[in-house]
């Protein structure tokens, strides 16, 4: 070997954030003047330098260079022993390079940051928080949380065992705070939260955390005021408005019923002019009946008669079929000129009017409340035949009283002349 090196110390202890130096002796054992350069190898290279960076030696001489180490105070510089190597590079004879090694003992340092996230919570009885633990030191630590102030009304729940945190890492530790009793009424209550985070280090260090838990009442004041206002409106409706509405509806219903009754009575009392006398014509060859005033089943009708009116009521359950009839007396013929149909409840369904065996009309109940029909030429219904009303009830209506009826209810008033048969 034409070059020899030797460190001043076999172990160098350094403190992150501080500067430490050691000496390296270089000897030229060759027979020529040699220049030397230096290269730091290993994990310590980023923060280690040699001064001077270039050295010239005569044959058989030696000189000491300074190795300067400035480890940063960072989690990247892990605590413990780390090898340090200096490669000495001869310029004239690069194949005779030499490497000198020593051990660097990096001292541990502790630095943690703890945060309570969030610092404030609002809830009825319990709230969840997180403690963010940042390990900015260069050695692993174990963190343990505890309540600083013990209050019988507050209970903390957190991890049972210490939580390890590696250098440069961040860890979340869940915390739950619960109040012993529920706050039903009143103002929100603020509970102070005090936690202590203890790190197990070479020198134990305690971190204090502060926050708030705002307990909200189940029934806040504004809700109670709203409920009171709604209750007042309900009482006003039940005691004042509803009776007035019912009274007005009842009066309207009575007035409408009276109008219908007066209309029916007026219709019954209105005289109907007698039909014109029939014209006669000569019988056709082959014989035939004499043409006269129409009557049921070809029966002749006497010239005189009395005005008559009949009212048929039909009540029907929902989904059922109701029938009402008026049968023409024996020896009579009913010459119908007017009918009045009443659906004062506003029922839904179908109403069919039949004169004898003849269907006069079929009406949907929901299309009318009162309906009348009139004929210039009377419709004759013979003795024994019937005026029939068939009602199919789909849904009972709601009269003016405002309360839905239980059954469908329709009226049919039939008016005309009740004459004698000849």
């Amino acid at each position: 070997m034409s070059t020899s090196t030797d460190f001043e110390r076999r172990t160098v202890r350094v403190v992150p954030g501080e500067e430490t130096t050691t000496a390296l002796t270089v000897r030229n054992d060759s027979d020529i003047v040699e220049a030397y350069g230096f290269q730091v190898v290993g994990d310590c290279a980023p923060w280690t330098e040699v001064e001077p960076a270039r050295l010239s030696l005569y044959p058989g001489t030696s000189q000491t260079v300074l190795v300067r180490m400035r480890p940063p105070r960072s989690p990247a510089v892990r605590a413990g022993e780390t090898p340090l190597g200096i490669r000495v590079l001869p310029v004239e004879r690069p194949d005779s390079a030499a490497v000198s090694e020593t051990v660097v003992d990096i001292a541990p340092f502790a630095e943690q940051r703890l945060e309570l996230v969030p610092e404030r919570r609002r809830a009825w009885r319990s709230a969840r928080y997180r403690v963010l633990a940042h390990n900015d030191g260069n050695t692993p630590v174990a963190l343990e949380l505890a309540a600083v102030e013990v209050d019988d009304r507050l209970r903390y729940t957190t991890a049972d065992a210490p939580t390890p945190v590696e250098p440069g890492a961040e860890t979340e530790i869940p915390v739950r705070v619960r109040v012993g009793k529920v706050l039903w009424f009143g103002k929100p209550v603020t509970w102070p939260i005090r936690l202590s985070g203890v790190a197990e280090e070479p020198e134990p260090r305690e971190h204090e955390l502060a926050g708030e838990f705002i307990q909200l009442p189940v029934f806040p004041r504004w809700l109670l005021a709203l409920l009171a206002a709604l209750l007042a409106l309900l009482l006003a409706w039940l005691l004042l408005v509803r009776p007035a509405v019912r009274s007005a509806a009842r009066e309207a219903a009575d007035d409408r019923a009276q109008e219908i009754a007066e209309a029916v009575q007026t219709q019954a009392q209105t005289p109907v002019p007698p039909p014109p006398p029939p014209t006669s014509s000569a019988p056709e060859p082959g014989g035939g009946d004499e043409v006269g005033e129409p009557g049921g089943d070809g029966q002749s009708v006497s010239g005189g008669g009395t005005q008559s009116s009949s009212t048929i009521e039909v009540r029907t359950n929902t989904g059922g079929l109701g029938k009402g009839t008026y049968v023409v007396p024996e020896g009579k013929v009913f010459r119908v000129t007017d009918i009045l149909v009443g659906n004062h409840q506003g029922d839904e369904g179908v109403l069919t009017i039949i004169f004898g065996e003849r269907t006069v009309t079929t009406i949907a109940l929901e299309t009318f409340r009162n309906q009348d029909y009139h004929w210039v030429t009377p419709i004759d219904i013979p003795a024994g035949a019937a005026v029939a009303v068939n009602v199919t009830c789909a849904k009972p209506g709601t009269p003016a009283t405002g309360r839905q009826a239980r059954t469908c209810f329709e009226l049919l008033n039939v008016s005309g002349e009740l004459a004698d048969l000849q």
Side-chain angles (χ1 to χ4, degrees):
M1 295 281 297
S2 59
T3 303
S4 60
T5 59
D6 186 24
F7 266 105
E8 178 185 15
R9 291 178 287 176
R10 294 302 173 189
T11 301
V12 182
R13 184 173 179 80
V14 297
V15 178
E18 299 180 7
E19 181 179 306
T20 303
T21 60
T22 186
L24 174 65
T25 302
V26 181
R27 180 179 178 81
N28 184 2
D29 295 330
S30 66
D31 52 0
I32 62 174
V33 177
E34 185 66 88
Y36 299 94
F38 304 94
Q39 181 183 9
V40 182
V41 295
D43 294 337
C44 303
W47 39 269
T48 302
E49 61 182 12
V50 179
E51 297 178 359
R54 189 178 180 89
L55 178 67
S56 296
L57 294 177
Y58 288 100
T61 62
S62 63
Q63 188 173 339
T64 300
V65 295
L66 186 65
V67 180
R68 191 183 304 277
M69 292 169 283
R70 298 189 184 93
R73 190 176 177 85
S74 167
V77 182
R78 300 292 292 269
E81 294 184 351
T82 302
L84 170 64
I86 305 295
R87 180 180 287 114
V88 182
L89 303 173
V91 176
E92 299 297 331
R93 297 176 180 177
D95 56 342
S96 61
V99 178
S100 182
E101 294 184 351
T102 187
V103 176
V104 178
D105 184 12
I106 302 174
F109 72 92
E111 186 172 339
Q112 295 85 33
R113 291 180 293 115
L114 271 67
E115 303 176 58
L116 183 63
V117 180
E119 292 185 355
R120 183 180 292 106
R121 283 280 195 186
R122 296 173 178 267
W124 285 337
R125 191 174 183 182
S126 65
R128 296 182 182 274
Y129 299 81
R130 294 174 295 141
V131 174
L132 299 182
H134 307 265
N135 185 5
D136 297 330
N138 65 348
T139 182
V141 296
L143 293 174
E144 185 175 4
L145 296 178
V148 175
E149 298 179 0
V150 179
D151 194 322
D152 294 340
R153 296 170 294 179
L154 285 180
R155 185 174 62 184
Y156 296 84
T157 304
T158 183
D160 296 334
T163 303
V165 187
E166 294 296 323
E170 176 184 299
T171 302
E172 292 186 0
I173 305 175
V175 179
R176 184 185 180 191
V177 179
R178 181 180 176 87
V179 183
K181 294 183 179 180
V182 177
L183 181 63
W184 294 102
F185 306 98
K187 297 180 179 179
V189 177
T190 301
W191 300 89
I193 298 175
R194 297 290 183 269
L195 291 173
S196 173
V198 179
E200 297 179 359
E201 304 165 350
E203 296 180 0
R205 184 179 178 183
E206 184 176 355
H207 305 267
E208 291 191 0
L209 301 172
E212 290 181 346
F213 171 47
I214 302 177
Q215 186 181 12
L216 301 176
V218 177
F219 300 104
R221 287 187 172 182
W222 64 265
L223 181 58
L224 295 177
L226 178 61
L227 292 177
L230 292 177
L231 181 59
L233 291 176
L234 180 60
L235 291 176
W237 165 259
L238 295 177
L239 299 178
L240 301 176
V241 180
R242 187 180 180 186
V245 171
R246 282 188 171 183
S247 177
R250 190 179 298 107
E251 292 178 0
D254 294 342
D255 293 342
R256 185 58 180 167
Q258 184 176 359
E259 290 178 4
I260 294 174
E262 291 177 355
V264 173
Q265 184 177 3
T266 302
Q267 184 67 28
Q269 295 176 355
T270 301
V272 179
T279 59
S280 60
S281 61
E284 293 288 338
D289 294 337
E290 182 179 1
V291 178
E293 192 170 356
D297 297 332
Q299 297 172 330
S300 61
V301 182
S302 62
T306 59
Q307 192 68 27
S308 179
S309 175
S310 179
T311 300
I312 304 173
E313 296 183 359
V314 182
R315 293 183 182 272
T316 315
N317 294 325
T318 304
L321 174 63
K323 296 183 180 181
T325 59
Y326 165 73
V327 180
V328 180
E330 293 295 333
K332 299 287 185 180
V333 60
F334 194 13
R335 311 192 70 194
V336 179
T337 57
D338 304 275
I339 62 173
L340 175 64
V341 186
N343 178 22
H344 67 281
Q345 295 184 164
D347 302 329
E348 297 180 11
V350 178
L351 180 143
T352 302
I353 302 174
I354 303 172
F355 289 177
E357 297 180 354
R358 175 182 178 183
T359 300
V360 177
T361 185
T362 299
I363 318 173
L365 294 176
E366 55 268 24
T367 61
F368 73 97
R369 286 297 180 105
N370 291 286
Q371 186 73 35
D372 57 334
Y373 297 88
H374 310 279
W375 291 273
V376 175
T377 302
I379 300 176
D380 291 351
I381 305 175
V387 176
V389 183
N390 296 339
V391 177
T392 301
C393 178
K395 178 183 177 182
T398 302
T401 59
R403 182 177 300 175
Q404 185 178 9
R406 296 183 180 180
T407 60
C408 293
F409 179 40
E410 277 64 50
L411 295 173
L412 174 64
N413 180 266
V414 185
S415 300
E417 183 181 0
L418 190 63
D420 296 326
L421 292 175
Q422 291 181 353

